[in-house]
Amino acid sequence: FFVLRQCQKDFDVDRIYAVIGNIGFTVVEAVDILGYVKRAFCVFELWASLEQSEGKIVCSHGKTPLEMKACLDALPIATETAQCRCEEDAMQIKERIAET
């Protein structure tokens, strides 16, 4: 995202949610997909994409669909334990997802 400035204290969950919706699709390229889904912003990105873009997500992770299903069955995505560099940003993300 060109509007997302990492390591700055200006994160606005509503603004980023709107940007994700305006883009209309999400591309995830993550060799460590299980690490990806442990980060609060990444979980938010996926959630916002699913909610607004009718699931238009391309995900490259090097696993077959069955391997990915087995991984997610064994270690489901857990928003409440997702990590973030800034706890305040993590709380914004978790609260926004919990609203739905």
Side-chain angles (χ1 to χ4, degrees):
F1 304 105
F2 292 107
V3 298
L4 179 64
R5 300 178 329 157
Q6 294 184 12
C7 300
Q8 301 294 316
K9 289 293 202 179
D10 64 351
F11 182 75
D12 181 331
V13 73
D14 295 324
R15 186 179 72 183
I16 299 302
Y17 179 86
V19 167
I20 291 170
N22 286 331
I23 292 171
F25 65 92
T26 299
V27 177
V28 175
E29 186 171 349
V31 174
D32 178 16
I33 193 68
L34 294 178
Y36 175 85
V37 297
K38 290 180 182 175
R39 294 192 298 275
F41 181 83
C42 299
V43 172
F44 175 72
E45 177 182 47
L46 288 173
W47 169 80
S49 298
L50 287 168
E51 185 167 90
Q52 299 182 92
S53 304
E54 301 172 1
K56 294 178 186 167
I57 299 172
V58 175
C59 188
S60 174
H61 47 67
K63 297 187 183 305
T64 67
L66 287 176
E67 291 171 333
M68 191 66 230
K69 182 178 181 332
C71 285
L72 290 174
D73 285 347
L75 296 166
I77 297 171
T79 305
E80 62 278 355
T81 60
Q83 301 171 354
C84 190
R85 192 176 304 142
C86 175
E87 188 58 35
E88 183 180 315
D89 295 350
M91 289 308 300
Q92 282 188 61
I93 289 168
K94 292 172 186 182
E95 288 171 4
R96 180 64 188 262
I97 292 173
E99 290 173 0
T100 60

